[in-house]
């Protein structure tokens, strides 16, 4: 199985947000509720840059550039630089983080001909809202930003199956799990 997931160290960084104040997030692409390639979550003590960038990963009998989440911890003094040339925009939140979860999709194509597991979303639950930072189709580098929406409505399993089915040529099964950190 190909694993396009956060590392153990990255999960520890994300988990360290619990109990902190979610001060704001910053992103480029100020036109819609998405960021291209990266965004930054600012807490009261540190920042985490979330990246959705392509990596060369095994794909059937060869390799393919596939986007996947990574992250890195940053000092609040470090300037956020969006991937796109647009100006960045800061969205103020100022809410206490109660929990953080990761949504994983395990996808099997043609009964194991190709198996891949993706971390698809980071859910930040605060005392007031649920913020979802999610990704979609395997080559897309955008990060969707949603407030108080269920991920199954943002990117339903039926759409994952459709995206991987190659217009019905492949048999696709998906197991979606949520892990509270």
């Amino acid at each position: 199985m190909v694993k396009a997931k956060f590392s153990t160290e990255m999960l520890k960084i994300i988990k360290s947000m619990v109990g902190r104040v979610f001060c704001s997030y910053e992103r480029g692409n100020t036109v819609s509720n998405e960021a291209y390639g990266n965004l930054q979550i600012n807490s009261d003590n540190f920042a985490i840059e979330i990246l959705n960038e392509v990596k060369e990963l095994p794909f059937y009998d060869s390799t393919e550039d596939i986007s996947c989440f990574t992250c890195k911890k940053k000092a609040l003094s470090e300037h956020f630089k969006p991937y796109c040339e647009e100006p960045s925009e800061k969205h103020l939140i100022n809410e206490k983080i109660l929990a953080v979860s990761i949504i994983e999709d395990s996808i099997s194509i043609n009964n194991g001909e190709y198996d891949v597991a993706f971390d698809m979303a980071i859910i930040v639950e605060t005392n007031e809202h649920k913020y979802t930072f999610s990704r979609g189709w395997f080559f897309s580098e955008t990060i969707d930003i949603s407030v108080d929406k269920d991920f199954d409505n943002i990117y339903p399993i039926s759409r994952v199956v459709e995206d991987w089915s190659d217009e019905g040529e492949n048999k696709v099964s998906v197991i979606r799990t949520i892990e509270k950190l």
Side-chain angles (χ1 to χ4, degrees):
M1 171 161 308
V2 176
K3 295 194 180 209
K5 301 176 51 55
F6 289 112
S7 70
T8 302
E9 189 58 38
M10 290 176 197
L11 291 172
K12 288 177 187 174
I13 292 169
I14 295 168
K15 183 178 181 176
S16 71
M17 289 192 298
V18 176
R20 311 278 354 151
V21 174
F22 182 0
C23 296
S24 62
Y25 68 87
E26 297 178 69
R27 66 183 176 100
N29 187 16
T30 60
V31 178
S32 62
N33 289 331
E34 62 183 32
Y36 178 77
N38 68 338
L39 62 82
Q40 182 166 293
I41 298 172
N42 300 308
S43 76
D44 56 337
N45 196 33
F46 57 88
I48 298 176
E49 185 174 6
I50 307 294
L51 303 108
N52 184 25
E53 51 191 3
V54 294
K55 290 183 178 180
E56 190 171 319
L57 294 171
F59 191 73
Y60 293 94
D61 293 332
S62 64
T63 61
E64 181 74 36
D65 286 340
I66 297 175
S67 67
C68 58
F69 274 141
T70 60
C71 72
K72 58 185 173 182
K73 191 172 186 175
K74 296 171 60 178
L76 290 175
S77 59
E78 288 183 65
H79 176 71
F80 171 68
K81 183 175 180 347
Y83 275 7
C84 51
E85 293 295 322
E86 301 171 11
S88 64
E89 182 175 83
K90 185 181 276 193
H91 296 265
L92 299 177
I93 306 294
N94 291 318
E95 299 170 13
K96 184 173 182 174
I97 298 172
L98 304 177
V100 180
S101 300
I102 304 294
I103 294 179
E104 176 190 295
D105 281 356
S106 291
I107 302 161
S108 182
I109 300 172
N110 297 328
N111 297 314
E113 182 181 335
Y114 183 73
D115 292 328
V116 62
F118 285 103
D119 283 336
M120 297 298 295
I122 302 165
I123 301 171
V124 178
E125 294 178 55
T126 70
N127 55 324
E128 296 184 36
H129 296 286
K130 181 172 73 171
Y131 298 88
T132 302
F133 302 97
S134 61
R135 50 178 314 282
W137 179 227
F138 79 89
F139 61 85
S140 174
E141 294 177 72
T142 59
I143 302 171
D144 294 311
I145 304 159
S146 304
V147 181
D148 296 328
K149 287 187 178 178
D150 189 283
F151 186 64
D152 289 331
N153 292 324
I154 298 166
Y155 193 50
I157 288 175
S158 61
R159 184 152 164 231
V160 177
V161 169
E162 180 182 321
D163 286 345
W164 284 90
S165 73
D166 193 19
E167 298 182 11
E169 293 296 315
N170 294 323
K171 180 183 176 196
V172 179
S173 62
V174 179
I175 298 172
R176 180 166 286 169
T177 57
I178 301 172
E179 178 186 357
K180 190 175 252 185
L181 301 179

